[in-house]
């Protein structure tokens, strides 16, 4: 199957990543259904679409008819049945909870057409942890987008031992149709490419903060102005979610048993306080005014 043959995409989860992945699919011309169990999350996702598309038109980045067509192609639903029953390709982007993902993959397997690919956008669970919940392991892979998904060009496609090469090729092809520059991982590895590299940067930044060497603001300023990164590691953690940083470190620690892999004291403190970054209005920076 080629990406041109994909008529319908289902994106499961309308959170931080899912709402933008769904909109990217609709903008690329695919009939897209965005599903979330939370009505409030769906309303937020729809609200984002309704402000984002006119904003793109006003900026001259999109024609009015293109914006209208994208909005018509994107539907929102609380029903997994409705989202997936005609889908040729499913991208799961629910919270990073393995049991939940397994349950959703098992349900999707019963709902989606037999040819449909089931991809996960998980930041750290490899798809072999999910493939066994389905009767179509050859059609299961990782397709990992970056935040904000409408902007970031990279998509990591991970071909697990169970993934058919054609499935990975289709995910790569679809990513290109979404205007992305995908990369292929020929083996499963914890953290894939980008989060492994990013974790080293964040760990060092947290060490410098936790040991009182410099403030978060100055560490960010140094990384932006000396290394040319678009934003420093603390602003980035606020963007991607400190809850995600916490879970990534905990998952790594569970895997290795190495105490050095535990989340840093600052991350634990912020996680427990519910200061998870932009999504909660406060993280390393305060967003309550915005
Ligand atoms: N959603 C959608 N679009 C957004 C956006 C958002 N939240 N924030 C910015 N944009 C768009 C703007 O509309 C603008 O688009 P155009 O140029 O086409 O008009 C463009 O991005 C630039 O925006 P701004 O000028 O307002 O701001 P900026 O230049 O500071 O860019 C940024 C903002 C794109 C977020 C930039 O700071 C950046 O690239 N930061 C690094 C992000 C990053 O590293 N992401 C990867 C995180 S790791 C991850 O995601 C791992 C994981 O597993 C979840």
């Amino acid at each position: 199957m080629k990406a041109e043959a994909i008529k319908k995409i289902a994106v499961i989860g309308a959170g931080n990543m899912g709402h933008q992945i769904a909109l990217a699919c609709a903008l690329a011309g695919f009939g897209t259904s965005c599903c979330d169990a939370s009505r409030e999350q769906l309303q937020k996702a729809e609200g984002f679409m309704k402000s984002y598309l006119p904003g793109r038109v006003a900026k001259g980045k999109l024609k009015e008819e293109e914006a209208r067509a994208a909005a018509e192609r994107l539907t929102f639903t609380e029903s997994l049945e409705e989202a997936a029953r005609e889908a040729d390709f499913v991208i799961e982007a629910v919270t990073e909870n393995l049991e939940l993902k397994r349950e959703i993959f098992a349900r999707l397997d019963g709902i989606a057409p037999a040819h449909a690919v089931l991809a996960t956008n998980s930041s750290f669970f490899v798809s072999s942890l999910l493939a066994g919940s389905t009767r179509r392991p050859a059609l299961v892979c990782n397709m990992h987008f970056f935040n904000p998904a409408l902007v970031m060009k990279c998509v990591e496609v991970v071909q697990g031992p169970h993934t058919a090469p054609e499935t990975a090729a289709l995910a790569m092809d679809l990513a290109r149709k979404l205007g992305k520059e995908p990369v292929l991982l020929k083996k499963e590895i914890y953290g894939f490419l980008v989060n492994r590299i990013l974790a080293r940067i964040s760990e060092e930044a947290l060490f410098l903060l936790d040991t009182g060497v410099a403030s978060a603001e100055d560490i960010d300023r140094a990384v932006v102005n000396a290394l040319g990164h678009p934003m420093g590691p603390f602003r980035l953690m606020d963007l991607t979610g400190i809850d995600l940083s916490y879970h990534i470190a905990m998952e790594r620690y569970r895997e290795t048993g190495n105490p050095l892999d535990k989340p840093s004291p600052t991350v634990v403190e912020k996680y427990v306080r519910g200061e998870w970054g932009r999504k909660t209005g406060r993280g390393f920076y305060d967003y309550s005014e915005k």
Side-chain angles (χ1 to χ4, degrees):
M1 189 180 188
K2 282 270 174 208
E4 291 86 62
I6 296 175
K7 295 280 169 278
K8 185 139 189 246
I9 297 178
V11 177
I12 315 303
N16 233 6
M17 300 298 294
H19 77 284
Q20 293 213 1
I21 296 172
L23 192 45
C25 293
L27 280 164
F30 296 100
T32 308
S33 189
C34 181
C35 172
D36 200 292
S38 153
R39 181 181 297 246
E40 195 193 334
Q41 203 64 58
L42 285 176
Q43 281 167 348
K44 265 199 200 162
E46 196 164 359
F48 174 82
M49 176 193 80
K50 285 183 177 159
S51 70
Y52 178 81
L53 291 175
R56 301 304 282 167
V57 173
K59 257 189 174 179
K61 303 267 174 167
L62 204 61
K63 293 192 187 119
E64 200 149 348
E65 56 273 26
E66 290 169 333
R68 197 173 325 115
E72 278 166 15
R73 280 192 287 266
L74 181 54
T75 55
F76 297 90
T77 176
E78 284 170 75
S79 158
L80 200 65
E81 274 280 327
E82 200 180 307
R85 73 177 159 233
E86 288 170 9
D88 303 300
F89 202 103
V90 181
I91 303 170
E92 168 275 313
V94 304
T95 57
E96 298 284 14
N97 173 325
L98 185 57
E99 279 322 302
L100 177 66
K101 284 181 191 282
R102 280 194 173 131
E103 185 199 317
I104 287 176
F105 267 68
R107 285 181 61 202
L108 285 170
D109 191 43
I111 299 169
H115 68 271
V117 167
L118 306 182
T120 176
N121 176 57
S122 176
S123 296
F124 50 86
F125 291 127
V126 290
S127 75
S128 52
L129 295 169
L130 304 170
S133 306
T134 76
R135 288 156 300 162
R136 61 178 93 191
L139 291 171
V140 175
C141 68
N142 287 86
M143 190 174 182
H144 181 220
F145 292 76
F146 293 85
N147 195 335
L150 281 161
V151 181
M152 305 312 286
K153 289 273 184 203
C154 186
V155 172
E156 293 171 318
V157 172
V158 188
Q159 187 178 332
H162 52 279
T163 310
E166 296 75 22
T167 300
L170 179 59
M172 295 285 286
D173 199 21
L174 172 60
R176 287 190 200 100
K177 293 274 177 304
L178 301 182
K180 306 297 184 193
E181 293 193 19
V183 292
L184 178 66
L185 277 76
K186 296 174 276 185
K187 281 182 184 176
E188 291 189 334
I189 185 166
Y190 173 85
F192 315 136
L193 305 182
V194 176
N195 277 338
R196 290 182 75 86
I197 295 168
L198 188 58
R200 298 288 90 79
I201 295 173
S202 313
E203 268 164 30
E204 193 55 41
L206 283 159
F207 168 79
L208 293 169
L209 179 71
D210 285 342
T211 50
V213 174
S215 67
E217 289 82 354
D218 273 352
I219 296 169
D220 275 354
R221 201 169 286 130
V223 170
V224 168
N225 293 318
L227 300 177
H229 291 199
M231 55 172 56
F234 295 107
R235 262 198 203 288
L236 188 54
M237 275 185 262
D238 276 1
L239 175 72
T240 55
I242 291 165
D243 54 329
L244 183 66
S245 306
Y246 174 85
H247 289 304
I248 287 178
M250 282 306 285
E251 187 58 28
R252 175 91 175 141
Y253 170 58
R254 266 193 285 274
E255 206 170 84
T256 63
N258 181 350
L260 290 175
D261 288 329
K262 278 187 181 173
S264 96
T266 305
V267 166
V268 174
E269 190 187 308
K270 291 205 172 291
Y271 178 75
V272 171
R273 277 209 217 132
E275 292 178 1
W276 293 357
R278 288 193 196 187
K279 63 173 111 170
T280 59
R282 179 182 273 277
F284 291 100
Y285 295 86
D286 186 359
Y287 303 91
S288 50
E289 295 286 297
K290 295 186 188 158

